[in-house]
């Protein structure tokens, strides 16, 4: 059970002030009858809410795919830089929306944002082996020794040993990397342990979900139900 005004805000109908105004103007109905009280408590999954004569499609959670640009931080708030949440359109910006696996400020590409903590945990937890695929440009060439080192588990400079990762050479000084952990600066630190610096890093996919090529950097859209499932298939 939750307050009607809170539910409407969570569904992107408007700000708290906007929705309270709508409720007081009798523009909101519950199972066809107007409710004039913003603090009326209800279970939105068991009632039909109408706003200005239109039935509201209640979504318990929200799942967003973003093509993250450079220079934007994966944090809820930052005093100096723009955050990924600043790029999410107002009507999708729910309470507790957070990235399911962070990207560094200078990393670009696929980012999932959600207010569903269990879903985010399933993506992030190394135990689930959801591989995240990246394209990296490096300051040198990937050798067979680097590939072998990634396959057997890179030892980082602080002694941490990473889980086995997949590494494929791409051209002179590029590579595709797949990891299922999300340690701080992991890809950069793995290459660094092998004597290489990452000059550019882009996340291409998470499990079976690829970044939508139609999304320009900085754009986002909701994930379909099928896309949400595909993450955990073919991972
Ligand atoms: N590994 C990194 O080093 N940076 C990222 O942003 C993601 C993975």
């Amino acid at each position: 059970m939750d307050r009607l005004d809170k539910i409407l805000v969570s569904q992107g109908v408007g700000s708290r002030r906007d929705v309270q105004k709508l409720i007081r103007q009798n523009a909101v109905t519950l199972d066809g009858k107007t409710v004039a009280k913003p603090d009326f408590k209800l279970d939105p999954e068991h009632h039909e809410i109408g706003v200005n004569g239109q039935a509201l499609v209640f979504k318990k959670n929200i799942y967003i795919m973003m093509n993250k640009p450079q220079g934007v931080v994966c944090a809820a708030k930052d005093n100096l830089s723009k955050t990924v949440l600043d790029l999410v359109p107002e009507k999708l910006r729910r309470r507790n929306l957070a990235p399911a696996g962070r990207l560094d400020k200078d990393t670009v590409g696929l980012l999932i944002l959600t207010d569903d903590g269990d879903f985010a945990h399933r993506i992030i937890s190394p135990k689930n082996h959801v591989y995240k695929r990246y394209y990296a440009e490096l300051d040198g060439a990937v050798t067979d020794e680097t590939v072998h080192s990634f396959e057997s588990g890179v030892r980082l400079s602080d002694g941490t040993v990473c889980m086995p990762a997949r590494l494929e050479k791409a051209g002179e000084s590029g590579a595709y990397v797949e990891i299922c952990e999300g340690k701080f600066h992991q890809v950069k630190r793995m290459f660094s342990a092998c004597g290489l610096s990452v000059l550019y890093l882009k996340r291409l996919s998470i499990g079976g979900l690829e970044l939508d090529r139609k999304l320009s950097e900085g754009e986002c859209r909701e994930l379909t139900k099928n896309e949400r499932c595909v993450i955990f298939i073919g991972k």
Side-chain angles (χ1 to χ4, degrees):
M1 301 279 267
D2 227 332
R3 285 172 59 120
L4 178 60
D5 54 0
K6 227 173 142 186
I7 293 166
L8 293 176
V9 173
S10 80
Q11 299 304 300
V13 173
S15 66
R16 188 80 168 242
R17 182 187 282 218
D18 295 336
V19 303
Q20 289 187 345
K21 200 169 157 201
L22 280 170
I23 296 166
R24 294 217 170 82
Q25 287 169 342
N26 291 330
V28 178
T29 53
L30 252 195
D31 300 324
K33 293 191 191 120
T34 52
V35 243
K37 282 190 184 161
D39 62 353
F40 186 84
K41 289 221 162 110
L42 70 142
D43 177 350
E45 287 183 285
H46 292 109
H47 294 277
E48 191 179 288
I49 303 175
V51 179
N52 287 324
Q54 300 264 326
L56 186 87
V57 180
F58 177 76
K59 290 180 191 159
K60 187 159 180 261
N61 293 109
I62 193 155
Y63 307 87
I64 294 169
M65 170 195 287
M66 176 181 285
N67 185 357
K68 181 194 169 296
Q70 278 194 349
V72 175
V73 294
C74 281
K77 266 192 188 156
D78 192 275
N79 290 335
L80 300 172
S81 308
K82 233 183 186 181
T83 74
V84 287
L85 288 178
D86 293 328
L87 300 178
V88 176
E90 190 83 41
K91 74 180 182 72
L92 297 179
R93 218 181 288 167
R94 302 266 180 89
R95 285 164 289 146
N96 302 329
L97 201 56
R102 292 167 191 274
L103 292 177
D104 297 335
K105 189 173 175 180
D106 58 352
T107 303
V108 300
L110 177 58
L111 184 73
I112 293 174
L113 294 139
T114 182
D115 57 357
D116 181 342
D118 291 339
F119 179 81
H121 180 73
R122 281 179 69 201
I123 293 176
I124 296 165
S125 173
K127 279 190 224 140
N128 291 330
H129 293 95
V130 176
Y131 277 88
K132 288 86 188 176
R133 183 173 171 88
Y134 295 85
Y135 170 69
E137 276 172 17
L138 307 156
D139 66 346
V142 166
T143 61
D144 290 344
E145 199 187 334
T146 322
V147 174
H148 182 257
S149 177
F150 271 55
E151 274 170 7
S152 46
V154 173
R155 182 182 292 273
L156 303 178
S157 59
D158 64 358
T160 311
V161 178
C162 298
M163 286 169 74
R166 304 164 184 159
L167 180 62
E168 248 175 81
K169 291 182 225 178
E172 289 273 293
S173 54
Y176 293 103
V177 193
E178 288 182 26
I179 55 171
C180 63
E181 300 171 285
K183 297 186 196 303
F184 186 60
H185 297 328
Q186 182 162 344
V187 172
K188 291 173 188 162
R189 288 161 72 211
M190 286 169 82
F191 278 114
S192 168
C194 300
L196 291 164
S197 287
V198 173
L199 308 175
Y200 170 85
L201 190 61
K202 177 173 187 171
R203 183 153 65 194
L204 305 171
S205 58
I206 297 178
L209 177 72
E210 287 182 15
L211 175 64
D212 182 345
R213 285 162 195 257
K214 285 188 234 110
L215 275 187
S216 304
E217 282 190 7
E219 285 185 343
C220 59
R221 65 159 173 83
E222 283 187 77
L223 287 178
T224 64
K225 217 175 196 174
N226 189 46
E227 287 174 328
R228 267 149 50 198
C229 295
V230 131
I231 290 174
F232 305 101
I233 304 169
K235 52 197 188 188

